[in-house]
Coordinates of all heavy atoms in Angstrom, one line a residue:
M11 N 0.9 -1.2 0.0 CA -0.1 -0.1 0.0 C 0.9 1.2 0.1 O 1.8 1.3 0.7 CB -0.9 0.0 1.3 CG -1.7 1.3 1.4 SD -3.0 1.2 2.6 CE -2.0 1.0 4.1
R12 N 0.5 2.2 -0.8 CA 1.3 3.6 -0.9 C 0.5 4.6 -0.1 O -0.7 4.6 0.0 CB 1.4 4.1 -2.3 CG 2.2 2.8 -3.1 CD 2.8 3.3 -4.3 NE 3.7 4.4 -4.3 CZ 5.0 4.4 -4.0 NH1 5.5 3.2 -3.7 NH2 5.8 5.4 -4.0
T13 N 1.3 5.4 0.6 CA 0.7 6.5 1.4 C 1.3 7.9 1.0 O 2.5 7.9 0.7 CB 1.0 6.1 2.9 OG1 0.6 4.9 3.2 CG2 0.3 7.2 3.8
I14 N 0.4 8.9 1.1 CA 1.0 10.3 0.9 C 1.2 11.0 2.2 O 0.2 10.9 3.1 CB 0.1 11.1 -0.1 CG1 0.0 10.5 -1.5 CG2 0.4 12.5 -0.1 CD1 -1.1 11.0 -2.4
Y15 N 2.3 11.5 2.4 CA 2.6 12.3 3.6 C 3.0 13.8 3.2 O 3.3 14.0 2.0 CB 3.7 11.7 4.4 CG 3.3 10.6 5.2 CD1 3.3 9.3 4.6 CD2 2.9 10.6 6.5 CE1 3.0 8.1 5.5 CE2 2.5 9.6 7.2 CZ 2.6 8.3 6.7 OH 2.1 7.2 7.4
K16 N 2.9 14.7 4.1 CA 3.3 16.1 3.9 C 4.5 16.5 4.8 O 4.3 15.9 6.0 CB 2.2 17.1 3.8 CG 1.5 17.3 5.1 CD 0.4 18.3 5.0 CE -0.4 18.4 6.3 NZ -1.3 19.6 6.2
W17 N 5.3 17.3 4.5 CA 6.4 17.8 5.3 C 6.5 19.3 5.3 O 6.4 19.9 4.2 CB 7.8 17.3 4.7 CG 7.8 15.7 4.7 CD1 7.2 14.9 3.8 CD2 8.4 14.9 5.7 NE1 7.5 13.6 4.0 CE2 8.3 13.5 5.2 CE3 9.1 15.1 6.8 CZ2 8.7 12.5 6.0 CZ3 9.7 14.0 7.6 CH2 9.4 12.7 7.2
E18 N 6.5 19.9 6.4 CA 6.6 21.4 6.5 C 7.9 21.8 6.2 O 9.0 21.3 6.9 CB 6.1 21.8 7.8 CG 6.0 23.4 7.9 CD 5.6 24.0 9.2 OE1 5.1 23.2 10.0 OE2 5.7 25.2 9.4
L19 N 8.1 22.7 5.2 CA 9.5 23.2 4.9 C 9.7 24.7 5.5 O 8.7 25.4 5.7 CB 9.7 23.3 3.4 CG 9.5 22.0 2.6 CD1 9.8 22.3 1.1 CD2 10.5 21.0 3.1
T20 N 10.8 25.1 5.7 CA 11.1 26.5 6.0 C 11.7 27.2 4.9 O 12.0 26.5 3.9 CB 12.1 26.5 7.3 OG1 13.4 26.1 6.9 CG2 11.6 25.7 8.4
T21 N 12.1 28.4 5.0 CA 12.8 29.2 3.9 C 14.4 29.1 4.0 O 15.0 29.8 3.4 CB 12.2 30.5 3.8 OG1 12.4 31.2 5.0 CG2 10.8 30.6 3.4
A22 N 14.8 28.1 4.9 CA 16.2 27.9 5.0 C 16.8 27.5 3.7 O 16.2 26.7 3.0 CB 16.5 27.0 6.1
D23 N 18.0 27.8 3.5 CA 18.7 27.3 2.2 C 18.8 25.8 2.2 O 18.5 25.2 1.1 CB 20.1 27.9 2.2 CG 20.1 29.4 1.9 OD1 19.1 29.9 1.5 OD2 21.2 30.0 2.1
R24 N 19.2 25.2 3.2 CA 19.2 23.6 3.3 C 18.6 23.2 4.5 O 18.7 23.7 5.6 CB 20.7 23.3 3.3 CG 21.5 23.5 2.0 CD 22.9 23.1 2.2 NE 23.1 21.8 2.8 CZ 23.7 20.8 2.4 NH1 24.4 21.0 1.2 NH2 23.9 19.7 2.9
Q25 N 17.8 22.1 4.3 CA 17.2 21.4 5.5 C 17.2 19.9 5.2 O 17.0 19.4 4.0 CB 15.8 22.0 5.6 CG 15.0 22.3 4.4 CD 14.0 23.4 4.6 OE1 13.1 23.1 5.4 NE2 14.1 24.4 3.8
C26 N 17.3 19.1 6.2 CA 17.5 17.7 6.1 C 16.3 17.0 6.7 O 15.9 17.4 7.8 CB 18.7 17.1 6.8 SG 20.2 17.8 6.0
Y27 N 15.8 16.0 6.1 CA 14.6 15.2 6.5 C 14.9 13.7 6.5 O 15.5 13.3 5.5 CB 13.3 15.6 5.8 CG 12.9 17.0 5.9 CD1 13.5 18.0 5.0 CD2 12.0 17.4 6.9 CE1 13.0 19.2 5.1 CE2 11.6 18.7 7.0 CZ 12.2 19.6 6.2 OH 11.8 20.9 6.2
L28 N 14.5 13.0 7.4 CA 14.6 11.6 7.4 C 13.3 11.0 6.9 O 12.3 11.1 7.6 CB 14.9 11.0 8.8 CG 15.4 9.6 8.9 CD1 16.6 9.4 8.1 CD2 15.6 9.1 10.4
M29 N 13.3 10.5 5.7 CA 12.2 10.0 5.0 C 12.3 8.6 4.6 O 13.4 8.0 4.6 CB 11.9 10.9 3.7 CG 11.6 12.3 3.9 SD 11.4 13.0 2.3 CE 11.0 14.6 2.9
P30 N 11.1 7.9 4.3 CA 11.2 6.4 3.8 C 12.0 6.4 2.6 O 12.1 7.4 1.7 CB 9.7 6.2 3.5 CG 8.9 7.1 4.4 CD 9.8 8.4 4.5
I31 N 12.8 5.4 2.5 CA 13.8 5.2 1.4 C 13.3 5.3 0.0 O 13.9 5.8 -0.9 CB 14.6 3.9 1.6 CG1 15.9 4.0 1.0 CG2 13.8 2.7 1.2 CD1 16.8 2.9 1.2
D32 N 12.0 5.0 -0.2 CA 11.3 5.1 -1.5 C 10.4 6.4 -1.7 O 9.7 6.4 -2.6 CB 10.6 3.8 -1.8 CG 9.4 3.7 -0.9 OD1 9.3 4.2 0.2 OD2 8.5 3.0 -1.5
A33 N 10.7 7.3 -0.9 CA 9.8 8.5 -1.0 C 9.9 9.1 -2.4 O 11.0 9.4 -2.8 CB 10.1 9.5 0.2
K34 N 8.8 9.5 -3.0 CA 8.7 10.0 -4.3 C 8.1 11.3 -4.2 O 6.9 11.4 -3.7 CB 8.0 9.2 -5.4 CG 7.8 9.8 -6.6 CD 7.0 9.0 -7.5 CE 6.6 9.6 -8.8 NZ 5.7 9.1 -9.6
F35 N 8.7 12.5 -4.5 CA 8.0 13.9 -4.3 C 7.0 14.0 -5.4 O 7.2 13.7 -6.6 CB 9.1 15.0 -4.4 CG 10.1 14.9 -3.3 CD1 11.5 14.9 -3.7 CD2 9.9 14.7 -2.0 CE1 12.5 14.8 -2.7 CE2 10.7 14.6 -0.9 CZ 12.2 14.6 -1.3
L36 N 5.8 14.5 -4.9 CA 4.7 14.7 -5.7 C 4.5 16.1 -6.2 O 4.3 16.5 -7.3 CB 3.5 14.1 -5.1 CG 3.4 12.8 -4.7 CD1 2.2 12.4 -4.0 CD2 3.5 11.9 -6.0
T37 N 4.4 17.2 -5.1 CA 4.3 18.4 -5.3 C 4.7 19.3 -4.1 O 4.9 18.6 -3.1 CB 2.8 18.7 -5.6 OG1 2.6 20.1 -6.1 CG2 2.0 18.4 -4.4
V38 N 4.7 20.5 -4.4 CA 5.0 21.5 -3.2 C 4.0 22.6 -3.2 O 3.6 23.1 -4.4 CB 6.5 22.0 -3.2 CG1 6.8 22.8 -4.5 CG2 6.7 22.7 -2.1
Q39 N 3.4 23.0 -2.2 CA 2.3 23.9 -2.1 C 2.4 24.9 -1.0 O 3.0 24.5 0.0 CB 0.9 23.2 -2.0 CG 0.7 22.1 -3.0 CD 0.2 22.8 -4.3 OE1 -0.4 23.8 -4.4 NE2 0.6 22.2 -5.4
F40 N 1.8 26.1 -1.1 CA 1.9 27.1 0.0 C 0.5 27.1 0.5 O -0.4 27.6 -0.2 CB 2.3 28.5 -0.6 CG 2.5 29.5 0.4 CD1 3.6 29.4 1.3 CD2 1.6 30.4 0.6 CE1 3.8 30.4 2.3 CE2 1.8 31.5 1.6 CZ 2.9 31.4 2.5
V41 N 0.3 26.7 1.7 CA -1.0 26.5 2.3 C -1.0 27.1 3.7 O -0.1 26.7 4.5 CB -1.4 25.1 2.4 CG1 -2.9 24.9 3.0 CG2 -1.5 24.4 1.0
N42 N -1.9 27.9 4.0 CA -2.0 28.6 5.4 C -0.6 29.2 5.9 O -0.1 28.9 7.0 CB -2.5 27.6 6.5 CG -3.9 27.2 6.2 OD1 -4.7 28.1 5.7 ND2 -4.4 26.0 6.5
N43 N 0.1 29.9 4.9 CA 1.3 30.6 5.3 C 2.4 29.7 5.5 O 3.4 30.0 6.2 CB 1.1 31.7 6.4 CG 0.2 32.8 6.0 OD1 0.3 33.2 4.8 ND2 -0.5 33.2 6.9
K44 N 2.4 28.4 5.0 CA 3.4 27.4 5.2 C 3.8 26.7 3.9 O 2.9 26.7 3.1 CB 3.1 26.5 6.2 CG 2.9 27.0 7.6 CD 2.5 25.9 8.6 CE 2.4 26.6 10.1 NZ 2.0 25.6 11.0
I45 N 5.0 26.3 3.7 CA 5.4 25.5 2.5 C 5.4 24.1 2.9 O 5.9 23.6 3.9 CB 6.8 25.9 2.1 CG1 7.0 27.5 1.8 CG2 7.2 25.1 0.8 CD1 8.4 27.9 1.5
W46 N 4.6 23.4 2.1 CA 4.4 21.9 2.3 C 4.9 21.2 1.1 O 4.6 21.4 -0.1 CB 2.9 21.6 2.5 CG 2.4 22.2 3.8 CD1 1.6 23.3 3.8 CD2 2.4 21.7 5.1 NE1 1.3 23.6 5.2 CE2 1.8 22.6 5.9 CE3 3.1 20.6 5.7 CZ2 1.7 22.4 7.4 CZ3 3.0 20.4 7.0 CH2 2.4 21.2 7.9
L47 N 5.7 20.1 1.4 CA 6.2 19.2 0.4 C 5.5 17.8 0.6 O 5.4 17.2 1.7 CB 7.7 19.0 0.7 CG 8.4 17.8 -0.2 CD1 8.3 18.2 -1.7 CD2 9.8 17.6 0.2
Y48 N 4.8 17.4 -0.5 CA 4.1 16.1 -0.5 C 4.8 15.0 -1.1 O 5.5 15.2 -2.2 CB 2.7 16.3 -1.1 CG 1.7 17.3 -0.4 CD1 1.9 18.7 -0.6 CD2 0.8 16.8 0.4 CE1 1.1 19.5 0.0 CE2 0.0 17.6 1.1 CZ 0.2 19.0 1.0 OH -0.8 19.9 1.6
E49 N 4.9 13.9 -0.5 CA 5.6 12.8 -1.0 C 4.7 11.5 -0.8 O 3.9 11.5 0.0 CB 7.0 12.5 -0.4 CG 7.0 12.4 1.2 CD 6.9 11.0 1.6 OE1 6.7 10.0 1.0 OE2 6.9 10.9 2.9
E50 N 5.0 10.5 -1.7 CA 4.3 9.2 -1.6 C 5.4 8.1 -1.4 O 6.4 8.2 -2.0 CB 3.6 9.0 -3.0 CG 2.9 7.7 -3.2 CD 2.5 7.6 -4.6 OE1 2.8 8.2 -5.6 OE2 1.5 6.6 -4.7
H51 N 5.0 7.2 -0.6 CA 5.9 6.1 -0.4 C 5.2 4.9 0.1 O 4.0 4.8 0.5 CB 7.0 6.5 0.7 CG 6.4 6.6 2.1 ND1 5.9 7.8 2.6 CD2 6.3 5.6 3.1 CE1 5.5 7.6 3.8 NE2 5.6 6.3 4.2
T52 N 5.9 3.7 0.0 CA 5.6 2.5 0.6 C 6.3 2.2 1.8 O 7.5 2.5 1.8 CB 5.8 1.3 -0.5 OG1 5.0 1.6 -1.6 CG2 5.4 -0.1 0.1
S53 N 5.8 1.6 2.8 CA 6.4 1.4 4.0 C 7.4 0.1 3.8 O 6.8 -1.0 3.5 CB 5.5 1.2 5.2 OG 6.3 0.9 6.4
I54 N 8.6 0.3 3.6 CA 9.6 -0.8 3.4 C 10.2 -1.1 4.8 O 10.9 -0.4 5.4 CB 10.6 -0.5 2.4 CG1 10.0 -0.1 1.0 CG2 11.6 -1.6 2.2 CD1 11.0 0.4 0.1
K55 N 9.9 -2.3 5.2 CA 10.4 -2.9 6.5 C 11.4 -4.1 6.3 O 11.2 -4.9 5.5 CB 9.4 -3.2 7.5 CG 8.5 -2.1 7.8 CD 7.4 -2.5 8.8 CE 6.4 -1.5 9.2 NZ 6.9 -0.5 10.2
I56 N 12.5 -4.0 7.0 CA 13.4 -5.1 7.2 C 13.5 -5.5 8.6 O 14.0 -4.6 9.4 CB 14.8 -4.7 6.5 CG1 14.7 -4.4 5.0 CG2 15.7 -5.9 6.8 CD1 16.0 -4.1 4.3
H57 N 13.1 -6.6 8.9 CA 13.1 -7.1 10.3 C 12.2 -6.2 11.2 O 12.5 -5.9 12.3 CB 14.5 -7.2 10.9 CG 15.3 -8.2 10.2 ND1 15.2 -9.5 10.0 CD2 16.5 -7.9 9.5 CE1 16.1 -10.1 9.4 NE2 16.9 -9.2 9.0
G58 N 11.1 -5.7 10.6 CA 10.1 -4.9 11.3 C 10.5 -3.4 11.5 O 9.9 -2.7 12.1
V59 N 11.7 -3.0 10.8 CA 12.1 -1.7 11.0 C 11.9 -0.9 9.6 O 12.4 -1.4 8.7 CB 13.6 -1.6 11.4 CG1 14.1 -0.2 11.6 CG2 13.8 -2.3 12.7
D60 N 11.3 0.3 9.7 CA 11.2 1.1 8.4 C 12.6 1.5 7.9 O 13.5 1.9 8.7 CB 10.4 2.3 8.8 CG 8.9 2.1 8.8 OD1 8.4 1.2 8.1 OD2 8.2 2.8 9.7
Q61 N 12.7 1.4 6.6 CA 14.0 1.8 6.0 C 13.9 3.3 5.6 O 13.0 3.6 4.8 CB 14.3 0.9 4.7 CG 14.3 -0.6 5.2 CD 15.5 -0.7 6.1 OE1 16.7 -0.5 5.9 NE2 15.1 -1.2 7.2
M62 N 14.7 4.1 6.2 CA 14.8 5.5 6.0 C 16.0 6.0 5.3 O 17.1 5.4 5.4 CB 14.6 6.2 7.4 CG 13.4 5.6 8.2 SD 11.8 5.9 7.4 CE 11.5 7.6 8.0
S63 N 16.0 7.2 4.8 CA 17.1 7.9 4.2 C 17.0 9.4 4.4 O 16.0 9.9 4.4 CB 17.3 7.6 2.7 OG 16.4 8.1 2.0
E64 N 18.2 9.9 4.5 CA 18.2 11.4 4.7 C 18.0 12.1 3.4 O 18.8 11.7 2.4 CB 19.5 11.8 5.3 CG 19.5 13.3 5.6 CD 20.9 13.7 6.3 OE1 21.9 13.9 5.6 OE2 20.9 13.8 7.5
R65 N 17.1 13.1 3.2 CA 17.0 13.9 2.0 C 17.3 15.2 2.3 O 16.7 15.9 3.4 CB 15.5 13.7 1.6 CG 15.0 12.2 1.4 CD 15.5 11.5 0.2 NE 15.1 11.9 -1.0 CZ 14.0 11.3 -1.7 NH1 13.4 10.3 -1.0 NH2 13.6 11.7 -2.7
I66 N 17.9 15.9 1.5 CA 18.4 17.3 1.7 C 17.6 18.2 0.7 O 17.6 18.0 -0.5 CB 19.9 17.4 1.4 CG1 20.7 16.7 2.4 CG2 20.3 18.9 1.6 CD1 22.1 16.5 2.1
I67 N 16.8 19.2 1.3 CA 15.9 20.1 0.5 C 16.5 21.4 0.5 O 16.8 21.9 1.6 CB 14.5 19.9 1.1 CG1 14.0 18.5 1.2 CG2 13.5 20.9 0.2 CD1 13.9 17.7 -0.2
S68 N 16.6 22.1 -0.6 CA 17.0 23.4 -0.6 C 15.8 24.4 -1.1 O 15.0 24.0 -1.9 CB 18.1 23.7 -1.6 OG 19.3 23.0 -1.1
V69 N 15.6 25.5 -0.4 CA 14.5 26.4 -0.7 C 15.3 27.7 -1.3 O 16.0 28.3 -0.4 CB 13.6 26.7 0.4 CG1 12.6 27.8 0.1 CG2 13.0 25.4 0.9
I70 N 15.1 28.1 -2.4 CA 15.9 29.2 -3.0 C 14.8 30.2 -3.7 O 13.9 29.9 -4.4 CB 16.8 28.7 -4.2 CG1 17.7 27.6 -3.5 CG2 17.6 29.8 -4.8 CD1 18.6 26.9 -4.6
G71 N 15.0 31.4 -3.2 CA 14.1 32.5 -3.7 C 14.4 33.0 -5.0 O 15.6 32.9 -5.4
T72 N 13.5 33.5 -5.7 CA 13.7 34.1 -7.0 C 14.8 35.2 -6.9 O 14.8 36.0 -5.9 CB 12.5 34.7 -7.6 OG1 11.5 33.6 -7.8 CG2 12.7 35.5 -8.9
G73 N 15.8 35.2 -7.7 CA 16.9 36.2 -7.6 C 18.0 35.8 -6.8 O 19.1 36.4 -6.9
Q74 N 17.9 34.6 -6.0 CA 18.9 34.2 -5.2 C 19.8 33.3 -6.1 O 19.4 32.8 -7.0 CB 18.5 33.4 -4.0 CG 17.8 34.4 -3.0 CD 17.3 33.5 -1.8 OE1 17.2 32.3 -1.8 NE2 17.0 34.2 -0.7
N75 N 21.1 33.2 -5.7 CA 22.1 32.3 -6.4 C 21.7 31.0 -6.2 O 21.5 30.6 -5.1 CB 23.5 32.7 -5.9 CG 24.0 34.0 -6.5 OD1 23.5 34.5 -7.5 ND2 24.8 34.6 -5.7
I76 N 21.9 30.2 -7.2 CA 21.6 28.7 -7.1 C 23.1 28.0 -7.0 O 23.9 28.3 -8.0 CB 20.9 28.1 -8.2 CG1 19.6 28.7 -8.4 CG2 20.9 26.5 -8.2 CD1 18.8 28.3 -9.6
P77 N 23.4 27.4 -5.9 CA 24.7 26.8 -5.8 C 25.1 25.8 -7.0 O 24.2 24.9 -7.3 CB 24.6 26.0 -4.6 CG 23.5 26.4 -3.9 CD 22.6 27.0 -4.8
V78 N 26.1 26.1 -7.8 CA 26.5 25.3 -8.9 C 27.2 24.0 -8.5 O 27.3 23.1 -9.3 CB 27.3 26.1 -10.0 CG1 26.5 27.3 -10.5 CG2 28.6 26.6 -9.3
D79 N 27.8 24.0 -7.3 CA 28.5 22.9 -6.9 C 27.7 21.7 -6.3 O 28.2 20.7 -5.9 CB 29.7 23.2 -6.0 CG 29.2 23.9 -4.6 OD1 28.0 24.5 -4.8 OD2 29.9 23.9 -3.7
E80 N 26.4 21.9 -6.2 CA 25.5 20.9 -5.6 C 24.7 20.3 -6.8 O 24.3 21.0 -7.6 CB 24.5 21.6 -4.5 CG 25.4 22.1 -3.3 CD 24.5 22.8 -2.4 OE1 23.3 22.6 -2.5 OE2 25.1 23.2 -1.3
N81 N 24.4 19.0 -6.8 CA 23.6 18.4 -7.7 C 22.2 18.5 -7.4 O 21.7 17.7 -6.6 CB 24.0 17.0 -7.9 CG 23.3 16.2 -8.9 OD1 22.8 16.9 -9.9 ND2 23.3 15.0 -9.0
L82 N 21.4 19.6 -7.9 CA 20.1 19.8 -7.4 C 19.1 19.4 -8.4 O 19.2 19.6 -9.6 CB 20.0 21.4 -7.1 CG 20.8 22.0 -6.0 CD1 20.6 23.5 -6.0 CD2 20.5 21.3 -4.7
K83 N 18.0 18.7 -7.9 CA 16.9 18.3 -8.8 C 15.7 19.2 -8.5 O 15.3 19.2 -7.3 CB 16.7 16.8 -8.6 CG 15.5 16.3 -9.5 CD 15.3 14.8 -9.2 CE 14.1 14.4 -9.9 NZ 13.8 12.9 -9.6
Y84 N 15.1 19.8 -9.5 CA 13.9 20.7 -9.3 C 12.8 19.9 -8.8 O 12.4 18.8 -9.3 CB 13.6 21.4 -10.6 CG 12.5 22.4 -10.5 CD1 12.4 23.6 -9.9 CD2 11.3 21.9 -11.0 CE1 11.4 24.4 -9.8 CE2 10.2 22.8 -11.0 CZ 10.2 24.0 -10.3 OH 9.0 24.8 -10.3
I85 N 12.1 20.4 -7.8 CA 10.9 19.8 -7.2 C 9.6 20.6 -7.7 O 8.7 20.0 -8.2 CB 10.8 19.5 -5.7 CG1 12.0 18.6 -5.4 CG2 9.4 18.9 -5.3 CD1 12.1 18.4 -3.9
G86 N 9.6 21.9 -7.5 CA 8.6 22.7 -7.7 C 8.7 24.2 -7.2 O 9.7 24.6 -6.6
T87 N 7.7 25.0 -7.5 CA 7.7 26.5 -7.1 C 6.5 26.7 -6.3 O 5.4 26.3 -6.7 CB 7.8 27.4 -8.3 OG1 9.0 27.1 -9.0 CG2 7.7 28.8 -8.1
V88 N 6.6 27.6 -5.3 CA 5.4 28.1 -4.6 C 5.5 29.7 -4.6 O 6.5 30.2 -4.6 CB 5.4 27.5 -3.0 CG1 5.3 26.1 -3.1 CG2 6.7 28.1 -2.3
F89 N 4.2 30.1 -4.6 CA 4.0 31.6 -4.5 C 3.5 31.9 -3.2 O 2.3 31.4 -2.8 CB 3.1 32.0 -5.6 CG 3.5 31.7 -6.9 CD1 3.3 30.4 -7.6 CD2 4.3 32.6 -7.7 CE1 3.8 30.2 -8.9 CE2 4.9 32.3 -8.9 CZ 4.6 31.1 -9.6
A90 N 4.1 32.8 -2.5 CA 3.8 33.1 -1.0 C 3.3 34.5 -0.9 O 4.1 35.5 -1.2 CB 4.9 32.8 0.0
W91 N 2.1 34.8 -0.7 CA 1.5 36.0 -0.5 C 1.6 36.6 0.8 O 1.2 35.9 1.8 CB 0.1 36.2 -1.0 CG -0.1 35.9 -2.5 CD1 -0.4 34.6 -3.0 CD2 0.2 36.7 -3.6 NE1 -0.4 34.7 -4.3 CE2 -0.1 36.0 -4.8 CE3 0.4 38.1 -3.7 CZ2 0.0 36.5 -6.0 CZ3 0.6 38.6 -5.0 CH2 0.3 37.8 -6.1
G92 N 2.2 37.7 1.1 CA 2.3 38.4 2.5 C 2.2 39.8 2.3 O 1.2 40.4 1.5
D93 N 3.0 40.6 2.7 CA 3.0 42.1 2.4 C 3.4 42.3 1.0 O 3.2 43.4 0.6 CB 3.9 42.8 3.5 CG 5.4 42.3 3.4 OD1 5.5 41.1 3.2 OD2 6.3 43.0 3.8
K94 N 4.1 41.3 0.5 CA 4.4 41.4 -1.0 C 4.5 39.8 -1.5 O 4.3 39.0 -0.7 CB 5.8 42.1 -1.2 CG 7.0 41.5 -0.7 CD 8.2 42.2 -1.0 CE 9.4 41.7 -0.3 NZ 10.6 42.5 -0.7
L95 N 4.7 39.7 -2.8 CA 4.8 38.3 -3.3 C 6.2 37.8 -3.1 O 7.1 38.4 -3.5 CB 4.4 38.3 -4.8 CG 4.6 37.0 -5.5 CD1 3.6 35.9 -5.0 CD2 4.3 37.1 -7.1
Y96 N 6.3 36.6 -2.6 CA 7.5 35.9 -2.5 C 7.4 34.6 -3.4 O 6.4 33.9 -3.3 CB 7.9 35.4 -1.1 CG 8.1 36.6 -0.1 CD1 7.1 37.1 0.6 CD2 9.3 37.2 0.0 CE1 7.3 38.2 1.5 CE2 9.5 38.2 0.9 CZ 8.5 38.7 1.6 OH 8.7 39.8 2.4
V97 N 8.4 34.3 -4.0 CA 8.4 33.1 -4.9 C 9.6 32.3 -4.5 O 10.7 32.7 -4.6 CB 8.5 33.4 -6.5 CG1 8.4 32.2 -7.2 CG2 7.4 34.5 -6.8
W98 N 9.3 31.1 -4.1 CA 10.3 30.1 -3.6 C 10.4 28.9 -4.6 O 9.4 28.3 -4.9 CB 10.0 29.6 -2.2 CG 9.9 30.8 -1.1 CD1 8.7 31.2 -0.7 CD2 10.9 31.4 -0.6 NE1 9.0 32.3 0.2 CE2 10.4 32.4 0.2 CE3 12.3 31.3 -0.8 CZ2 11.1 33.3 1.0 CZ3 13.0 32.3 0.2 CH2 12.5 33.2 0.9
H99 N 11.6 28.4 -4.9 CA 11.8 27.3 -5.8 C 12.5 26.2 -4.9 O 13.4 26.4 -4.2 CB 12.7 27.7 -7.0 CG 12.3 28.9 -7.6 ND1 11.2 28.9 -8.5 CD2 12.6 30.2 -7.4 CE1 11.0 30.2 -8.9 NE2 11.8 31.0 -8.3
I100 N 11.9 25.0 -5.0 CA 12.3 23.9 -4.1 C 13.1 22.9 -4.9 O 12.7 22.5 -6.0 CB 11.0 23.2 -3.5 CG1 10.0 24.2 -3.0 CG2 11.4 22.2 -2.5 CD1 10.5 25.2 -2.0
F101 N 14.2 22.5 -4.3 CA 15.1 21.5 -5.0 C 15.6 20.5 -4.0 O 15.5 20.6 -2.8 CB 16.5 22.2 -5.5 CG 16.3 23.2 -6.5 CD1 15.9 24.6 -6.2 CD2 16.4 22.9 -7.9 CE1 15.8 25.5 -7.2 CE2 16.2 23.9 -8.8 CZ 15.9 25.2 -8.5
E102 N 15.9 19.3 -4.5 CA 16.4 18.3 -3.7 C 17.9 18.1 -4.1 O 18.3 18.1 -5.3 CB 15.8 16.8 -3.9 CG 16.4 15.8 -3.1 CD 15.9 14.4 -3.2 OE1 15.2 14.2 -4.3 OE2 16.3 13.5 -2.4
Q103 N 18.8 18.0 -3.1 CA 20.2 17.8 -3.3 C 20.4 16.3 -3.5 O 20.2 15.6 -2.6 CB 21.1 18.4 -2.2 CG 22.5 18.2 -2.6 CD 23.4 18.7 -1.5 OE1 23.0 19.4 -0.6 NE2 24.7 18.4 -1.7
V104 N 20.7 15.9 -4.7 CA 20.9 14.5 -5.0 C 22.3 14.1 -4.7 O 23.3 14.7 -5.2 CB 20.6 14.2 -6.5 CG1 20.9 12.8 -6.8 CG2 19.2 14.7 -6.9
V105 N 22.5 13.1 -3.8 CA 23.7 12.6 -3.3 C 24.2 11.5 -4.2 O 23.4 10.6 -4.4 CB 23.7 12.2 -1.9 CG1 25.0 11.7 -1.4 CG2 23.1 13.4 -1.0
K106 N 25.3 11.6 -4.8 CA 25.8 10.5 -5.6 C 26.5 9.6 -4.9 O 27.1 9.6 -3.9 CB 26.7 11.1 -6.8 CG 26.0 12.0 -7.6 CD 27.0 12.6 -8.7 CE 26.2 13.5 -9.6 NZ 27.0 14.1 -10.7

């Protein structure tokens, strides 16, 4: 059985999350003044223990520099309305 979960992101440049090893990113949305990353996974257990891996997520604002020395895979873009419009682009750092 597959399940969809959501993870709250901050606007920090880099953030690490311990996710199921087969987590597949579906979308990123701005809801109730928060950035949410949605992923789908199957619970993979070995000897009754969930198999997890660290995933590194980067949130980069429009106009900010994108690190060229990191292998970044685009996930999506969110539009955040506040006193002005903020546009955040979400990437995963792919570890080789």
Side-chain angles (χ1 to χ4, degrees):
M11 176 171 64
R12 298 197 60 81
T13 307
I14 296 174
Y15 282 89
K16 66 181 181 179
W17 301 80
E18 183 179 350
L19 304 181
T20 68
T21 55
D23 290 344
R24 286 175 51 123
Q25 38 208 299
C26 298
Y27 296 89
L28 193 59
M29 296 183 176
I31 200 164
D32 69 333
K34 175 185 170 190
F35 298 128
L36 301 174
T37 188
V38 61
Q39 301 288 322
F40 189 74
V41 180
N42 294 327
N43 293 319
K44 296 180 180 179
I45 301 172
W46 294 99
L47 173 63
Y48 292 83
E49 57 89 357
E50 176 184 23
H51 70 269
T52 301
S53 181
I54 299 175
K55 294 181 184 282
I56 296 178
H57 303 294
V59 177
D60 285 325
Q61 298 303 295
M62 309 293 275
S63 68
E64 184 177 80
R65 307 288 286 268
I66 302 169
I67 306 298
S68 293
V69 178
I70 301 171
T72 296
Q74 294 179 342
N75 292 328
I76 299 172
V78 295
D79 59 337
E80 297 178 6
N81 187 18
L82 297 178
K83 180 180 176 186
Y84 177 76
I85 298 172
T87 296
V88 296
F89 299 89
W91 296 95
D93 54 335
K94 62 181 181 176
L95 173 64
Y96 295 93
V97 182
W98 301 104
H99 310 281
I100 316 303
F101 296 85
E102 178 183 16
Q103 182 177 350
V104 180
V105 180
K106 293 181 179 182

